[in-house]
Amino acid sequence: MDRATERAFKAAVRQEVAAKLGGEEAGPERVKELISIAVEAIAFDFGVALSPAESIALSNALIDDFLYYGPLQPLLNDGSITEIMVNGGGVDVTDPALPFLPPIVYVERAGRLEYRPDVAFDDSDHLRRIIDKIAEQAGARCDESHAMGCAMLPGGRARATYVVPPLAPDGPALNLRTFKNDLLSMEDLERAGALSAAMSDFLRSAVAARCPIVISGGTGSGKTTLLNALSGFIPPDERVITIEDTPELRLRTPHTERMQTREANTEGQGAVTMRDLVAIALRRRPDRIIVGECRGAEAYDMLQAMQTDHPGSMTTIHANDPDNAISRLRTMVGYADGELGRDVIMQQIAESLRGGLVVHTDRLQDGRRKVTSIVAVDPLPDGATVIPRAELFSFDVEGVDAEGWTVGSWRACGIQPQHIKERMRAAGVWYDPAWFFAA
């Protein structure tokens, strides 16, 4: 069966099954039964002799279309894949009036990209139906006026971001960032080589001592994974409220309340922002507030929470290094109140992060994710305009081996963070000076 015939065959089966269902809700077994019957009937109508293997393959592909996420379902079932990228196929340059070409699929595995020509869509409409399903399941819209979006798949198994025409000139495109069902602990990250034993022990005590922590890093560098792991050190009797755009955090502490932003409806009403949720969270008796990622004016409220009655709060921020994280915080606080001067903003950041940490994560050239720097933040001296900070641990890259793996090692910088030391001792948690002299 050639590709054109296969597409027509599948379209006929989909139409037949949809007509049989008549819009009624049907369980998976009923759908599978109808697809199996329709495949045999349409094969007869088309005059196609299907082998048992071909019949099973077509039925399974159609079952994935009806019940799951089409050709992407096997990739979602593959636990070694961390991201699925579906690009628009573009237009046929010989005849731009033709429909979009079929999408192209790449995956990320062990931090490296792989082209997957074996994962085929019938056409761009095939992908669009999957995007529409994802948006509908999340209660979102996907049309010309809402041509991009972000949504979680049911059960939190993956986060989807999508772009469709007119914002996507090459046809609809979709990214799926997958999440493992088994949460990684700090011990798991240590065994995987994401950080050293001394760094892990230090961070354990920092969380227990309620040091404010900002986790910085680029896209896909492991910020959320690290934050989830650190939550395992929060005492179980503390109440934690999490605030996110999409619910990616899965904390290891039992007393957790989750809150999520909401976009405006079709009339432009009903939007709930990060800043709205931080404000209401402060009135809900949290011991700590965790913001999934600070991107705007909510940074001001987050810093206020850290500075007052909610020490030990944590957040992530997109940044290239710890210095850039402080700079981005300054910019975002400026969004909240344009009348605040630079010096006042820096004073606010310094007071909020006093005795706290900026923990930076990186995805290395070989795709591995590591904690590459831990920086302590000190109070701002009178008259100073630069927040004092001291690097406690650093990952030094030494080069690349013959197989393309990054070679490097962690280095303890030999500096003891005095304000953090005071916090740990006041909280009665373990503090070991040896951490800072042998990573």
Side-chain angles (χ1 to χ4, degrees):
M1 187 186 300
D2 60 45
R3 191 69 181 147
T5 303
E6 182 181 339
R7 285 198 295 269
F9 186 98
K10 288 181 177 179
V13 172
R14 280 194 289 266
Q15 186 176 0
E16 176 73 13
V17 173
K20 293 284 187 183
L21 290 172
E24 69 175 84
E25 291 289 335
E29 294 307 317
R30 174 63 175 159
V31 172
K32 291 176 184 178
E33 178 188 1
L34 290 175
I35 288 174
S36 179
I37 294 170
V39 165
E40 292 184 13
I42 301 300
F44 179 81
D45 293 343
F46 273 55
V48 175
L50 296 176
S51 69
E54 289 174 325
S55 180
I56 291 172
L58 278 170
S59 295
N60 287 340
L62 287 158
I63 288 168
D64 283 342
D65 280 344
F66 266 90
L67 298 177
Y68 309 110
Y69 303 101
L72 302 180
Q73 189 59 39
L75 302 181
L76 286 167
N77 293 338
D78 186 340
S80 67
I81 291 175
T82 53
E83 188 147 3
I84 303 165
M85 292 147 278
V86 190
N87 301 338
V91 296
D92 186 343
V93 293
T94 63
D95 189 354
L98 292 174
F100 291 113
L101 295 170
I104 303 164
V105 180
Y106 291 83
V107 301
E108 181 189 76
R109 194 195 312 266
R112 298 188 177 187
L113 293 181
E114 301 175 11
Y115 173 46
R116 292 297 298 267
D118 57 308
V119 182
F121 288 85
D122 297 338
D123 47 36
S124 63
D125 288 339
H126 191 182
L127 174 61
R128 180 58 187 268
R129 287 194 297 272
I130 292 171
I131 292 174
D132 288 343
K133 177 186 288 187
I134 290 171
E136 182 181 350
Q137 288 174 337
R141 291 180 59 190
C142 181
D143 50 37
E144 285 194 3
S145 61
H146 296 78
M148 65 179 183
C150 184
M152 290 295 288
L153 269 59
R157 61 188 305 185
R159 183 190 68 204
T161 54
Y162 52 84
V163 186
V164 301
L167 300 185
D170 289 331
L174 172 69
N175 265 51
L176 292 168
R177 172 72 60 83
T178 62
F179 304 111
K180 295 182 180 293
N181 290 326
D182 51 330
L183 294 179
L184 296 178
S185 65
M186 287 298 285
E187 290 78 10
D188 294 328
L189 295 179
E190 187 181 332
R191 282 193 293 270
L195 73 172
S196 70
M199 295 161 70
S200 177
D201 290 340
F202 170 64
L203 290 174
R204 177 193 298 267
S205 289
V207 173
R210 304 190 72 174
C211 298
I213 295 177
V214 173
I215 301 174
S216 63
T219 301
S221 63
K223 301 186 296 296
T224 302
T225 299
L226 178 61
L227 182 50
N228 281 330
L230 288 175
S231 71
F233 304 142
I234 296 174
D237 60 344
E238 291 188 15
R239 172 171 165 78
V240 180
I241 295 180
T242 68
I243 299 170
E244 302 173 87
D245 283 326
T246 53
E248 298 177 29
L249 292 174
R250 291 181 289 174
L251 302 189
R252 292 173 166 269
T253 182
H255 194 172
T256 300
E257 178 183 331
R258 305 169 73 190
M259 302 173 72
Q260 182 180 348
T261 60
R262 185 178 67 187
E263 294 184 358
N265 59 21
T266 54
E267 289 77 31
Q269 304 296 319
V272 179
T273 67
M274 280 273 202
R275 196 169 189 193
D276 295 332
L277 293 179
V278 172
I280 196 67
L282 292 172
R283 300 182 178 92
R284 296 183 61 77
R285 203 251 176 241
D287 290 302
R288 307 187 195 219
I289 296 174
I290 296 181
V291 175
E293 182 171 354
C294 276
R295 296 188 182 93
E298 70 274 1
Y300 176 77
D301 303 281
M302 183 70 195
L303 291 173
Q304 291 293 309
M306 289 178 170
Q307 189 176 342
T308 53
D309 298 328
H310 310 90
S313 295
M314 295 185 273
T315 188
T316 71
I317 185 171
H318 192 99
N320 297 326
D321 53 53
D323 288 344
N324 182 232
I326 298 293
S327 176
R328 291 211 64 221
L329 276 174
R330 185 186 70 229
T331 301
M332 289 188 288
V333 171
Y335 295 157
D337 189 340
E339 296 183 0
L340 290 175
R342 181 186 184 280
D343 293 349
V344 174
I345 292 175
M346 296 304 282
Q347 183 70 40
Q348 290 280 347
I349 295 173
E351 285 299 317
S352 300
L353 297 183
R354 173 179 180 169
L357 298 168
V358 178
V359 182
H360 190 72
T361 61
D362 258 326
R363 181 166 59 179
L364 304 183
Q365 184 177 336
D366 59 18
R368 289 181 296 174
R369 296 164 173 84
K370 292 184 182 293
V371 177
T372 56
S373 181
I374 299 179
V375 172
V377 181
D378 291 328
L380 190 68
D382 291 339
T385 58
V386 177
I387 297 175
R389 41 197 185 269
E391 189 168 46
L392 308 179
F393 300 93
S394 174
F395 183 79
D396 296 333
V397 176
E398 299 163 6
V400 179
D401 65 17
E403 297 180 353
W405 295 104
T406 301
V407 178
S409 59
W410 284 284
R411 172 173 56 88
C413 300
I415 299 173
Q416 291 195 57
Q418 294 304 316
H419 290 91
I420 293 175
K421 178 180 179 179
E422 292 170 9
R423 276 182 178 268
M424 291 183 179
R425 290 190 168 168
V429 302
W430 180 34
Y431 176 87
D432 187 352
W435 291 331
F436 310 103
F437 299 95

